Amino acid sequence: SGLGSGLGLGFDGVVVSDWFATRSTAESADAGLDVVMPGPTGPWGEALVAAVRGGEVEESVIDDKVLRVLRLADRTGFLAGSDPLPPVTTPDDADAQLRDIAARAMVVLRNEQVGADPLLPLDPGSVSRVAVIGPNAACLTAQGGGSAHVNPAHVISPLTALAEALGPMVTVDYAQGVVTQRLLPAITPETATDPDTGHPGLRVDFIDPAGDVLGSEVRQASRFVFMGGLPAGTAGIRVRADVVIGQAGNHQFSVSGVGAFRLVIGDNAPMKITMSPSAGGDLVEGLVKPPEHRVDVEIETGTVRLEVVAQVDANLPIAMFGLNHQVPGPSEEELFQAALDAARAADVVVMVVGTTDEVESEGFDRTDLLLPGRQDELVQAVAAQNPRTIVVVNAGAPVEMPWRDSVPAVLWAWFPGQEGGYAIADAVTGAVEPGGRLPTTFPKTAADAPVLSTAPVDGKVVYAEGTMFGYRGYAQAEIVPAYPFGHGLGYTTWEYEDITAGVNAAGDVEVAVKVRNTGERIGREVVQIYLACEGGDPQRDDPPRLVGFGTTLAAPNEIATVPITISRRVLARWDVARRGWWVRGGVRELIAARSAWDARIRTRVELAGS
């Protein structure tokens, strides 16, 4: 294939397309693609057979692809006669590992003193009443949407974990505050039972055109993804559940997805529903960011039978849809006011805000960097009621935080996975130091980002920024970010005392940085090395770039030396005229820093040119 022999990389594996990403036949086949996903339809399949017969693709190219697929099958134990793969095992301490890794990866963005000490970490013994506020506190976004989604064994919410960490002597009040989900909540086994067995879950039947059942299974959540593997002849997917109605009143039910559906709620007449992707959106966007059809039904307490049948498109080897339910509850204004009341009555507030898997997913780009719903407004209002407010941001990519200077503490939690609630509690209470550093730059506003859109213009993506992307783009434009690349405070303070550097026989630069923990608790420091004077003119040079980093763990007042080796390859830059990597010789400056905007000490080193 192109990657293997054509480019001389020696790769003998399989090149697989993203789902629905292949847009050509001969061109993609000749370029080295081996497998089109989600299956041999569209530009491949019979179209590829025709391209071979028409001389557009050589048979030897197809032979190579077949060999690669067979080689993969053999290596993974699926080819007859292959050695079986060893069984997959899960470590006994897997949950503890996931919890620890997630907590240590969190980033302390801000931690100002409130009284004598910084607000973080929060000492459970110093408070008697804590308000936990925000939609993500009870419904953690553990992961992104689309194909990034997997079904974890469980997801621990921050609310549950914080209540446990704070202990029985501390009263924890929860307030959702705002609504951020676009779709109604999914139905879970907590309220749904299988009509056939009475056990928790939802019954899924695969039916043929006559309605006969070809196969059946039980699912534990009402958001469904079927990527092939349906019984032969499947024309529809029927979902049935008996849902407990604990409160009489106006209930909302909905179907989300693209295609044709038949919905039955209790004794009500069946409803036929057809939904298409939004205007301008393609099929992939319609699947991962689906439209929704809502129905209002007045129901008494008891149990209601739900049934939805999704029509299966035989030409589309994927089906994604959801069955959703919202119980009667307070209005959005009542939710907002309840959060303010809880904040006012508390000793300290822990707010958990963030994005959702509807906002950060595959198949579409974000159109802004705003938190969904009225979360920004909620943070400002809560901070005005209680100055002891900690904000935990549960998001996978930068968001605007216009309230960041109005609260004393901000902890960035990322998408922390199934143990994320416990990890957040550990970080907030200091059981684990959140010693992460930002791998990207957080702008004050989206307009500050050097590159905001990557949408093609006239079919082309122009990289006008050159090498000045990310933190170097901000530096060149002299735009001060909200939080720079490499930023992270941890729970102690550091002093940079010395730096030395030299070049070894291989041309690599060996750096040693001496740091002292000047705080009151053990901590982890990430020493970052940036290279300056790359263009040769200190007055008109490119901004420094990261060329290495190292970490250390040190006790209070302990001095640690952090060794960092910078390979000669990292020191090189691509030279268009030479058509190769090139190191400019001469004296260069190395900067030891805590972030791209926090230089501490410097030294110089002389490099040999290429």
Side-chain angles (χ1 to χ4, degrees):
S1 74
L3 280 176
S5 58
L7 299 180
L9 300 181
F11 177 69
D12 65 354
V14 177
V15 178
V16 183
S17 79
D18 195 1
W19 284 55
F20 305 106
T22 308
R23 298 289 191 266
S24 63
T25 304
E27 293 87 346
S28 59
D30 288 333
L33 185 62
D34 299 312
V35 175
V36 167
M37 291 299 288
T41 58
W44 276 32
E46 290 302 318
L48 183 57
V49 173
V52 173
R53 289 173 175 166
E56 297 178 82
V57 178
E58 295 293 332
E59 284 191 33
S60 59
V61 172
I62 305 301
D63 292 341
D64 180 70
K65 298 181 191 306
V66 172
L67 176 61
R68 290 171 181 273
V69 172
L70 291 174
R71 187 183 293 128
L72 176 63
D74 180 56
R75 288 172 175 171
T76 52
F78 287 95
L79 194 64
S82 303
D83 293 333
L85 294 178
V88 176
T89 59
T90 300
D92 294 337
D93 63 343
D95 287 347
Q97 289 187 49
L98 294 171
R99 174 176 178 170
D100 182 63
I101 291 169
R104 289 190 292 109
M106 293 177 186
V107 185
V108 180
L109 297 180
R110 179 177 170 86
N111 194 18
E112 299 298 306
Q113 286 193 196
V114 179
D117 301 303
L119 193 52
L120 287 172
L122 177 64
D123 177 9
S126 67
V127 294
S128 60
R129 193 177 204 96
V130 175
V132 178
I133 296 174
N136 290 49
C139 187
L140 178 74
T141 304
Q143 57 187 310
S147 293
H149 179 85
V150 295
N151 294 321
H154 57 261
V155 176
I156 304 299
S157 75
L159 175 60
T160 298
L162 284 165
E164 183 178 317
L166 292 171
M169 303 303 293
V170 178
T171 299
V172 175
D173 300 317
Y174 173 65
Q176 178 179 329
V178 296
V179 175
T180 57
Q181 293 283 352
R182 183 178 60 86
L183 302 178
L184 296 182
I187 299 172
T188 70
E190 294 177 356
T191 59
T193 57
D194 172 10
D196 291 355
T197 66
H199 296 155
L202 299 94
R203 172 64 59 176
V204 177
D205 299 320
F206 305 100
I207 57 178
D208 65 12
D212 294 328
V213 177
L214 303 172
S216 186
E217 61 186 47
V218 176
R219 291 291 184 101
Q220 298 302 307
S222 66
R223 302 281 170 81
F224 305 99
V225 179
F226 300 95
M227 296 185 177
L230 301 180
T234 297
I237 301 172
R238 182 176 64 198
V239 178
R240 295 176 291 132
D242 289 333
V243 177
V244 175
I245 304 298
Q247 179 181 352
N250 182 61
H251 289 249
Q252 277 194 316
F253 296 90
S254 76
V255 175
S256 55
V258 173
F261 304 90
R262 179 179 177 271
L263 175 65
V264 183
I265 303 172
D267 297 329
N268 294 283
M271 290 168 277
K272 292 186 177 180
I273 302 165
T274 301
M275 291 181 285
S276 303
S278 59
D282 60 13
L283 178 61
V284 175
E285 180 172 345
L287 291 171
V288 299
K289 195 176 182 180
E292 180 184 39
H293 182 90
R294 297 187 179 187
V295 178
D296 291 286
V297 182
E298 286 289 334
I299 307 180
E300 298 298 321
T301 57
T303 302
V304 65
R305 173 70 57 84
L306 297 183
E307 178 179 304
V308 64
V309 178
Q311 181 177 311
V312 173
D313 186 343
N315 297 316
L316 185 63
I318 181 173
M320 295 175 66
F321 64 95
L323 182 59
N324 315 298
H325 174 214
Q326 177 67 64
V327 300
S331 68
E332 291 198 37
E333 285 303 324
E334 290 171 330
L335 289 173
F336 200 97
Q337 186 58 51
L340 301 188
D341 295 341
R344 194 180 306 113
D347 299 322
V348 67
V349 175
V350 180
M351 293 198 68
V352 187
V353 298
T355 59
T356 71
D357 58 5
E358 297 174 347
V359 173
E360 293 193 72
S361 180
E362 67 167 338
F364 59 89
D365 293 328
R366 291 188 295 167
T367 56
D368 55 48
L369 300 184
L370 302 176
L371 288 172
R374 298 171 61 191
Q375 292 184 91
D376 288 332
E377 181 185 350
L378 180 65
V379 175
Q380 292 280 21
V382 166
Q385 296 296 322
N386 193 324
R388 293 173 56 82
T389 295
I390 300 165
V391 179
V392 179
V393 186
N394 171 206
V399 297
E400 293 184 25
M401 292 175 272
W403 37 260
R404 65 188 180 281
D405 294 332
S406 301
V407 296
V410 182
L411 177 69
W412 189 269
W414 304 108
F415 289 158
Q418 65 187 47
E419 292 289 315
Y422 283 137
I424 287 172
D426 287 345
V428 167
T429 61
V432 175
E433 183 191 36
R437 302 296 187 266
L438 292 182
T440 186
T441 304
F442 283 23
K444 293 179 179 177
T445 67
D448 288 344
V451 180
L452 186 59
S453 174
T454 57
V457 178
D458 296 330
K460 296 181 179 179
V461 177
V462 179
Y463 297 88
E465 70 277 9
T467 61
M468 293 299 107
F469 54 86
Y471 62 92
R472 302 181 83 208
Y474 285 88
Q476 186 182 59
E478 297 183 342
I479 296 174
V480 179
Y483 300 107
F485 173 87
H487 176 71
L489 300 177
Y491 282 158
T492 189
T493 55
W494 298 88
E495 182 177 313
Y496 282 53
E497 297 191 340
D498 188 41
I499 180 172
T500 59
V503 181
N504 63 24
D508 303 333
V509 175
E510 296 181 346
V511 184
V513 180
K514 188 178 294 185
V515 296
R516 182 192 298 270
N517 181 348
T518 56
E520 298 180 353
R521 59 175 284 163
I522 190 171
R524 174 177 177 267
E525 176 67 337
V526 180
V527 177
Q528 302 162 44
I529 303 298
Y530 293 82
L531 179 68
C533 305
E534 285 205 281
D537 183 355
Q539 303 302 315
R540 300 178 59 188
D541 212 342
D542 291 344
R545 66 181 174 98
L546 182 73
V547 291
F549 66 91
T551 65
T552 188
L553 196 68
N557 204 40
E558 181 182 356
I559 297 174
T561 299
V562 183
I564 302 168
T565 299
I566 306 166
S567 73
R568 183 171 175 81
R569 172 64 180 78
V570 172
L571 298 169
R573 299 179 73 177
W574 181 262
D575 187 274
V576 177
R578 293 177 173 85
R579 296 188 60 79
W581 295 99
W582 174 70
V583 176
R584 183 182 65 80
V587 177
R588 312 285 283 282
E589 187 174 54
L590 296 173
I591 305 168
R594 300 203 75 226
S595 77
W597 286 71
D598 188 3
R600 293 302 178 98
I601 52 178
R602 305 166 185 257
T603 190
R604 290 181 176 273
V605 66
E606 185 166 356
L607 302 178
S610 296

